[in-house]
Amino acid sequence: QVHLVESGGGLVQAGGSLRLSCEASRSIFRINAMGWYRQAPGKERELVAAITRGDTTNYVDSVKGRFTISRDNAKNTLYLQMNSLKPEDTAVYYCNINGREWIGTQDRDYWGQGTQVTVSS
């Protein structure tokens, strides 16, 4: 089974930057979309940014112009560059891949374990 490992979270002051990485343990036969979600205390998990198989990107309004999602297929890695961070960006960030592991299998969601991002004012 594919495992996703996130890194890059931490504590940063408002206005600072962080770069999250999500590395898959091995390549996936077919990827439909990849994304970053976040969940703040007491709130539901929300989609922050996504990138489709055709490289179309989407962002939640609150991060547009500040966050950039990208991927390196050769490294099986998804990135989230976060600039101009705000205290309201504080959350646990999760990476997600929707796809199928092997030919003939079903599409499913794969999740990372989450990485904490804390932005101080």
Side-chain angles (χ1 to χ4, degrees), residues 41-61:
K43 295 187 177 181
E44 294 187 354
R45 190 174 296 190
E46 68 169 347
L47 177 62
V48 176
I51 183 168
T52 68
R53 191 155 55 95
D55 286 332
T56 298
T57 57
N58 291 287
Y59 300 91
V60 67
D61 285 346

Side-chain angles (χ1 to χ4, degrees), residues 59-79:
Y59 300 91
V60 67
D61 285 346
S62 60
V63 308
K64 285 181 179 178
R66 300 188 297 121
F67 291 11
T68 302
I69 188 171
S70 63
R71 64 183 179 191
D72 186 331
N73 292 331
K75 295 182 179 180
N76 298 324
T77 302
L78 178 70
Y79 302 100

Side-chain angles (χ1 to χ4, degrees), residues 30-32 98-102 104-110:
R30 176 188 171 100
I31 294 176
N32 299 316
N98 179 271
R100 59 186 65 178
E101 194 167 340
W102 301 107
T105 60
Q106 301 285 332
D107 286 344
R108 57 159 288 183
D109 285 307
Y110 300 88

Side-chain angles (χ1 to χ4, degrees), residues 72-89:
D72 186 331
N73 292 331
K75 295 182 179 180
N76 298 324
T77 302
L78 178 70
Y79 302 100
L80 185 67
Q81 178 66 44
M82 305 186 294
N83 299 327
S84 302
L85 283 161
K86 304 176 181 180
E88 50 264 44
D89 294 319

Side-chain angles (χ1 to χ4, degrees), residues 14-47:
S17 298
L18 286 173
R19 188 194 195 201
L20 304 183
S21 298
C22 172
E23 183 175 0
S25 55
R26 56 182 176 80
S27 60
I28 297 174
F29 169 70
R30 176 188 171 100
I31 294 176
N32 299 316
M34 308 171 78
W36 288 95
Y37 290 72
R38 67 185 179 188
Q39 187 166 20
K43 295 187 177 181
E44 294 187 354
R45 190 174 296 190
E46 68 169 347
L47 177 62

